[in-house]
């Protein structure tokens, strides 16, 4: 190797690099910044231990039973109501990725290669976290649409569908009226849904109809798109089939996030034989995540590293992988609008 050449192993100190990448990932993720996904120390603790899944028991909301009328009759006694419990099940998501020197060449050429590489890796994990989130929500909504026997909810009680059988401008596409009808599936808690997740095609429709307002973030450095006072996040990973698109509404803390550290989260390796003997280097980065929709349990049988993002059996986007355990609709701060845009 020529004198002065920077190697990956020279600039990556795992003990510094790993927590720095995790901090950058949290800072850059709009899901986390918006509040739709909230870091949960209990899930961090789960990931720090063993096991692919863990039970997370919780109390149900109190039923809206009629109150008792007080009396001075000692023979009149009240009957206490029961406080129900629900058992959520969370699942570990063990993920990793690696990059060869060629992928990092421009970063290594800079004045601060360690920071440059950390920024690239954190950008990657921000995108992958969002993909895990989308996959999990696909599974949750698929379970809601199926409503198999014994579940705690009415079929599609989180969904409003105006897509119809064919495109009709002003009827089947995204509108404020359709959006409000989706939000009101939460009843008088509809204002709890403060974040909107849309595909770029739907976002373009919103812009054309002058529905989007841009407001500065808390630092006054970034302009955030909003609709009816709600933050809008655009992601082309949102589900669509043909011209039919899904838009999702979330409340703060609708999804809990755990972040853990594998046994060896970051390491480098040199492959001297590659390049016909010139050699290459590889950077490996590994993560432990838990992306958990509140009020649900993971009902699949996970593989050794946890479920993937796929829609096949036991994976995150599969209906059978999730089961709602909260019967009260208003406790599930999630809603879905289905529109036909073309």
């Amino acid at each position: 190797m020529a004198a002065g050449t920077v190697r990956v192993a020279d600039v990556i100190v795992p003990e510094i690099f790993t927590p720095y990448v995790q901090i950058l990932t949290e800072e850059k993720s709009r899901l986390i910044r918006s509040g739709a996904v909230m870091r949960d120390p209990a899930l961090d603790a789960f990931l720090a231990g063993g096991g692919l899944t863990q039970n997370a028991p919780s109390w149900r909301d109190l039923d809206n039973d009629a109150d008792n009328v007080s009396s001075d009759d000692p023979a009149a006694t009240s009957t206490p109501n029961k406080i129900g419990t629900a058992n959520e099940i969370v699942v570990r998501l063990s993920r990793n990725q690696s990059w060869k020197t060629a992928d990092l060449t421009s970063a290594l050429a800079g004045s601060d290669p360690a920071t440059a590489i950390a920024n690239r890796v954190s950008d990657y994990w921000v995108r992958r976290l969002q993909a895990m989130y989308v996959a999990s929500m696909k599974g949750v909504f698929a379970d809601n649409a199926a409503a198999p026997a014994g579940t705690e909810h009415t079929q599609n009680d989180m969904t409003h569908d105006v897509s119809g059988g064919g495109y009709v401008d002003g009827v089947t596409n995204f509108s404020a009226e359709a959006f409000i009808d989706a939000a009101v599936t939460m009843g008088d808690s509809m204002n709890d849904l403060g974040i909107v997740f849309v595909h770029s095609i739907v976002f373009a429709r919103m812009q054309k109809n002058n529905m989007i307002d841009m407001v500065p973030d808390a630092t006054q450095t970034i302009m955030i798109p909003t609709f009816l006072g709600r933050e809008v996040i655009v992601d082309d990973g949102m589900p669509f089939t043909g011209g039919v698109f899904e838009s999702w509404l979330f409340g703060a803390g609708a999804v809990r996030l755990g972040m853990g550290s594998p046994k060896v989260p970051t390491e480098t390796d040199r492959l001297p034989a590659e390049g016909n003997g010139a050699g290459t280097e590889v950077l490996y980065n590994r993560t432990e995540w838990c992306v958990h929709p509140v009020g649900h349990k993971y009902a699949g049988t996970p593989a050794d590293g946890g479920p993937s993002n796929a829609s096949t059996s036991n994976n995150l986007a599969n209906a059978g992988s999730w089961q709602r355990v909260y019967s009260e609709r208003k406790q599930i701060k999630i809603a879905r609008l289905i529109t036909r845009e073309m």
Side-chain angles (χ1 to χ4, degrees):
M1 180 173 290
T5 300
V6 179
R7 296 176 51 186
V8 173
D10 295 332
V11 299
I12 299 299
V13 180
E15 294 80 5
I16 299 173
F17 182 83
T18 299
Y20 185 49
V21 167
Q22 191 174 83
I23 290 170
L24 286 176
T25 301
E26 286 193 80
E27 289 178 346
K28 293 178 179 182
S29 171
R30 286 194 61 198
L31 287 173
I32 297 173
R33 293 205 317 267
S34 70
V37 173
M38 284 192 175
R39 187 80 178 266
D40 188 334
L43 297 186
D44 291 353
F46 155 59
L47 294 174
L52 283 172
T53 62
Q54 183 180 68
N55 292 334
S58 59
W59 298 107
R60 294 181 184 272
D61 198 8
L62 298 180
D63 293 332
N64 193 29
D65 298 308
D67 47 10
N68 299 319
V69 177
S70 301
S71 168
D72 62 358
D73 181 0
T77 59
S78 65
T79 302
N81 294 317
K82 293 182 178 180
I83 301 177
T85 60
N87 188 42
E88 300 178 64
I89 298 177
V90 301
V91 64
R92 182 187 300 268
L93 305 173
S94 300
R95 305 293 175 90
N96 72 83
Q97 190 52 274
S98 58
W99 299 269
K100 281 191 177 182
T101 307
D103 301 323
L104 304 170
T105 299
S106 61
L108 287 170
S111 60
D112 189 355
T115 298
I117 294 171
N119 273 294
R120 288 195 176 191
V121 173
S122 63
D123 286 344
Y124 171 79
W125 286 120
V126 166
R127 297 192 299 270
R128 298 317 302 159
L129 172 61
Q130 197 147 304
M132 293 176 222
Y133 177 85
V134 169
S136 298
M137 290 303 103
K138 284 181 179 179
V140 165
F141 283 120
D143 167 68
N144 185 241
T151 55
E152 292 280 357
H153 61 85
T154 303
Q155 187 176 30
N156 273 329
D157 67 346
M158 300 192 297
T159 297
H160 180 60
D161 187 347
V162 297
S163 61
Y167 174 71
V168 179
D169 187 28
V171 177
T172 65
N173 45 15
F174 188 97
S175 67
E177 181 181 18
F179 177 88
I180 292 170
D181 286 340
V184 84
T185 61
M186 283 278 287
D188 58 10
S189 296
M190 62 185 294
N191 288 330
D192 289 347
L193 302 175
I195 303 107
V196 189
F197 223 67
V198 299
H199 191 280
S200 61
I201 295 296
V202 177
F203 186 68
R205 172 76 62 183
M206 298 167 77
Q207 289 180 305
K208 290 174 183 177
N209 292 341
N210 294 317
M211 294 178 174
I212 298 297
D213 293 316
M214 303 299 292
V215 299
D217 69 353
T219 66
Q220 304 292 309
T221 57
I222 300 174
M223 299 300 290
I224 298 175
T226 65
F227 170 66
L228 295 181
R230 296 164 167 90
E231 181 172 347
V232 179
I233 298 175
V234 184
D235 188 329
D236 281 345
M238 287 292 291
F240 71 95
T241 303
V244 177
F245 292 80
E246 294 187 16
S247 299
W248 298 342
L249 293 68
F250 295 95
V255 176
R256 297 157 58 203
L257 172 67
M259 300 176 75
S261 181
K263 184 177 180 180
V264 184
T266 302
E267 63 181 320
T268 60
D269 188 23
R270 178 159 178 79
L271 307 173
E274 292 198 358
N276 199 29
T280 60
E281 290 180 283
V282 182
L283 169 65
Y284 295 90
N285 194 239
R286 306 177 183 94
T287 66
E288 296 281 333
W289 303 91
C290 182
V291 179
H292 182 70
V294 171
H296 292 78
K297 70 177 182 180
Y298 175 75
T301 302
D304 289 344
S308 75
N309 295 350
S311 59
T312 49
S313 181
N314 297 313
N315 292 313
L316 294 180
N318 185 270
S321 296
W322 299 101
Q323 184 177 326
R324 190 158 127 193
V325 297
Y326 285 1
S327 57
E328 173 57 56
R329 169 69 184 96
K330 297 176 186 180
Q331 288 185 279
I332 309 295
K333 297 180 181 181
I334 302 170
R336 174 174 63 166
L337 172 62
I338 303 177
T339 60
R340 187 181 297 273
E341 303 297 329
M342 59 187 71

